[in-house]
Amino acid sequence: MTNVLELRGITKRFPGVLANDKIDITLREGKILALLGENGAGKTTLMNILYGLYKPDEGSIAVHGKEVEIHGPNDAIAQGIGMVHQHFMLVPVMTVTENVMLGIEPTKNGIFLDKEKVAGRIREISDQYGLDVDPNAYIKDLPVGIQQRVEIIKVLYRQADILILDEPTAVLTPQEVEGLFMIIDTLIKSGKSIIFITHKLKEVLAVADDITVLRLGRVVGSINPKEATTEKLAVMMVGRDVNLVVDKKPAKPTEPVLVVENLYVRDERQNQTVQGVSFEVRKGEVLGVAGVQGNGQTELVYALTGLLPLEDGTIRLLGEPIHRTTPRNILERGVAHIPEDRQRHGLILTFPIHDNMMLCTYYKNPFARGISLQEKTIFSNAEELVGQYDVRTPNIYVNAGTLSGGNQQKVIVAREFSRPIQLLIASQPTRGLDVGSIEYIHQQIIKKRDEGTGVLVVSSELDEILALSDRIAVMYKGQIMGIVDAQTATKEQLGLLMAGIHPSETAQA
Amino acid sequence: MNKTDTTSQTPETKTSKENHNESIWQALLVPVLAVVTGLFLGGIVILASGENPINAYGALFTGSFGKPANFIEGISVLFSTGDTAALIKAIYPFTESLVIATPYIFAGLSVALGFRCGLFNIGAEGQFFIGALVSAFVGYSLKGLPMIIHLPIAILAGAAGGALWGMVPGYLKARFGAHEVVNTIMMNWIAFRLSDWLLSGPMKASGFRPVTPNVLASAELPRFFPEPLRFNLGFFIALLVAYFIYWFLFKTTLGFEIRAVGANPDAAKYAGMNIIRNFVLVMALAGALAGLAGSSQVLGVDHWVGQGFSAGYGFDAIAIALLGKSHPAGVVMAALLFGFLRGGATNMQSMAGIPIDIISIIQGLVIVFIAAPGIIRWLYRIRTIKTEETVLTRGWGS
Ligand SMILES: Nc1ncnc2c1ncn2[C@@H]1O[C@H](COP(=O)(O)OP(=O)(O)OP(=O)(O)O)[C@@H](O)[C@H]1O
Ligand SMILES: [Mg+2]
């Protein structure tokens, strides 16, 4: 057995942060190494170093036992290293083929782009590994799961035999995760080696051959998956016991906060993705919206928050209609929104943390007096929230874009929880967060509930839905298949509803 | 959450101020190197055309700043005889460069403000014309007013004219989604033809030439030195306006919105900002700034408007905004640079026989290096550090 990859003593400093501190990791040939660690532990940084995006301050990299210098992605690719990033790097208005070609455009007669050749090769790769991707489809028309496969094809097209997958499952539905694991399996069988980053401990136990855990930029240890349990891994990651189930008292719901009747919404491409949805959320309860992603949940939330217009129906907040009003008006009535796409809606990555911490209330006392921004309050507010929510950052003046993925999410949660609210709409609230942060944010959501806030949680993680909800609505093809009591709901029952089958129907069948 | 071991995250934490200084230095590095490289390559072009670059740049320097020897002599004359003439002559080139820089500051701010909101204002040239024409009209037609009333009205009228010219494309974008690049260009042509017509008829002074009458003395921006020095209050108004724009962009809620819309319109919408209103507001303000450029030129320097009045200030402004990274302080520095280059160019031509166009080549090179900072980074082996990338415009489709 040989090691395809050895990183030795890798150290990387950013202004004010020691992101990697003498890290050693080893990848065995034909194996899957899972890299675990809290948000901001330095996983992405380490992988970016391996891929040549950052230059390490110290340390060496050996591929197939030979020490190599990697100065940029091209060097990495030449060494057979390929990376699928945490946030995809695809051009939405281009086709799969064009995206795969980017940067290595092959030509016919030296002038004309040879698209057919590339498309043919994509089909071969797609067949070989069971990826099922149409080379001529436009990226913007593809679901996230398939976009990710395009990223994998890009890597395979460049003949990588070491694949880095940075949180590949964070954005996938359970079905898509299954699909990805099958692909990983084929990849391993054909001799590839994989570094796999995730926060989902069950996945780690399911696929990993080796596990290495990072904390605060250092390796805290490696463990054999056969000896590991999710609890053990959680302790290694965050350095303390983590309560993986939220303990909550039964809800004491009172009057309705949000009443939605017969809602119809079209998405940006004019497809009617919400078709006649009705439900209510009461004060002091959590209504979970379960469903495979892409069944209208996104548009439902956009309509509730004013980001998309309704086609038909009514939305009432505390008895007053809000469906013909502006996002600002909805915010002012006390609706907080943790958006599904944090980099698109939730943050301005090129703005400092302190500005992102007041993004929705910048014009109000105490952040502004008249039109004059009150920097002192803005700074102290950010300091306070960064401390309270344990956002890992050197200071509040750095741009939100420099934060690790999970810490970006914490900034949004901190901001949305810090103003008085009647209704909390949380879309995928813990996507990309480590177990410790998930525990904390779940506790905070339940705390809001117990304070009498109405909570709507949309998540494609059934575990999360079950952990938080008092009632669960299942969406399928733009409609609500049923609303069930979370106390009595089972995963099987929900699974059927999510597939569009009423349990009663199966009973008859 | 446990905060026990967060301390080791920051083993070498710098104060925010240090970080800040570092980032200012970072931001200045590429533009400064771009200018240096532009001058260097310009020197090679001069050399290739068979002239001596040292002579050429010497003439450029004395043309834009004046001769240090003359300056010293001017001072000694002043002290020995009390005669200011020699000193005034010595500072002429320097003040003239500032005169040229003045409209550049205003127009550069106009384009920069647009960039901050993700809008590309190519219409500064047209807005400049309209500002100049309106100011000229108010300047010569309102008679009998004291300066304290007449001058402010003339300036503000120019700004209002420019604002109107900018607002139209802003409104068209907000209402119909029409791209501002197309519409500002269209508004330029309307402004050019409108001014041709006005200058040949309604606003024409008596005589043969298609020019407006001179503005009245009560509408002139006061000058600080006797003829031929044209250095006037306009320069200081420009600096004041630059400071105001800085304050407006970075210290007010309105500026915060503008920058948010420019940096991430989806997040701006999520935060309840009215994107459309910001488009109209910014285009109107940008128009007002370009209008002020025209206004300061006519009230402070020329005192009348003729055909071809602008000499491309509105287009150079795009380069200035880029060079200044759309930051008011950067814009002022870039405008001064352009002012000195343009100011010295004539001298370079007459003294060293180098065509004025070489300055355009240098400016062009600088712009290329700014627009493609990768070249400079590669030339000087600067590591890319992801600092704030100013969002210029979100492409042609949005
Ligand atoms: N470009 C950068 N500039 C400054 N600091 C950075 C930069 N990139 C990362 N950091 C810092 O380095 C640390 C490690 O970040 P990294 O993205 O590697 O974390 P991670 O382990 O991938 O976390 P997550 O699970 O949240 O994605 C963080 O504290 C982050 O703020
Ligand atoms: Mg990461």
Side-chain angles (χ1 to χ4, degrees), chain B residues 26-27 29-31 33-34 37 325 369-370 372-389:
Chain B
Q26 275 289 325
L29 193 59
V30 170
L33 287 175
T37 316
K325 297 253 174 170
F369 293 144
I370 294 293
I375 304 176
I376 288 292
R377 294 222 167 89
W378 173 77
L379 268 177
Y380 296 93
R381 305 286 186 274
I382 304 172
R383 285 237 143 227
T384 343
I385 298 167
K386 274 193 195 155
T387 48
E388 181 182 359
E389 295 282 333

Side-chain angles (χ1 to χ4, degrees), chain A residues 13-18 38 40 54-55 71 215-218 238 240 306-307 327-328 331 337-339 343-348 350-351 355 358-360 362-363 368 370-373 375 387-390 392-395 397 399 410 412 415-416 436-437 440, chain B residues 1-17 19-20 22 116 244 246-274 277-278 383-391:
Chain A
R13 296 182 194 90
F14 290 112
V17 187
L18 186 54
E38 289 178 291
Y54 294 143
K55 192 179 154 52
H71 295 294
R215 173 146 40 98
L216 299 166
R218 281 178 224 129
V238 297
R240 64 181 164 93
L307 294 175
R328 167 66 45 92
L331 287 173
H337 177 200
I338 299 171
Q343 301 205 329
R344 181 177 169 202
H345 288 115
L347 292 170
I348 300 184
T350 52
F351 277 18
D355 283 351
M358 51 122 204
L359 192 60
C360 302
Y362 62 93
Y363 58 96
I371 62 162
S372 162
L373 290 172
E375 284 185 341
Q388 195 180 335
Y389 287 81
D390 193 22
R392 301 290 169 87
T393 172
N395 58 51
Y397 308 100
N399 288 343
K410 288 194 213 167
I412 297 172
R415 174 185 71 215
E416 294 303 297
S437 308
Y440 182 70
Chain B
M1 213 175 283
N2 72 320
K3 296 171 49 183
T4 44
D5 36 25
T6 46
T7 40
S8 55
Q9 267 286 299
T10 52
E12 44 182 340
T13 305
K14 294 180 185 153
T15 64
S16 68
K17 197 149 186 199
N19 274 334
H20 191 64
E22 212 164 82
R116 283 283 171 183
F244 170 79
Y246 164 76
W247 172 81
F248 177 74
L249 269 176
F250 296 101
K251 307 288 174 190
T252 72
T253 55
L254 300 171
F256 185 78
E257 277 195 26
I258 289 169
R259 289 184 296 118
V261 169
N264 182 349
D266 286 319
K269 191 173 173 194
Y270 159 92
M273 299 173 187
N274 186 335
R277 196 184 62 197
N278 275 290
R383 285 237 143 227
T384 343
I385 298 167
K386 274 193 195 155
T387 48
E388 181 182 359
E389 295 282 333
T390 320
V391 179

Side-chain angles (χ1 to χ4, degrees), chain A residues 316-335:
Chain A
R316 271 173 294 148
L317 186 72
L318 292 168
E320 289 184 49
I322 56 164
H323 48 272
R324 292 272 174 270
T325 163
T326 59
R328 167 66 45 92
N329 193 301
I330 295 173
L331 287 173
E332 297 211 318
R333 287 164 188 261
V335 177

Side-chain angles (χ1 to χ4, degrees), chain B residues 64-65 94-102 104-105 231 235 239 320 323 329-344 363:
Chain B
S64 51
F65 292 94
F94 180 70
T95 57
E96 202 58 12
S97 297
L98 296 183
V99 166
I100 301 173
T102 303
Y104 276 144
I105 296 177
F231 185 58
F235 179 72
L239 292 185
I320 288 170
L323 187 56
V331 166
V332 169
M333 285 191 267
L336 288 173
L337 175 77
F338 271 51
F340 286 118
L341 285 176
R342 288 272 163 224
Q363 284 179 358

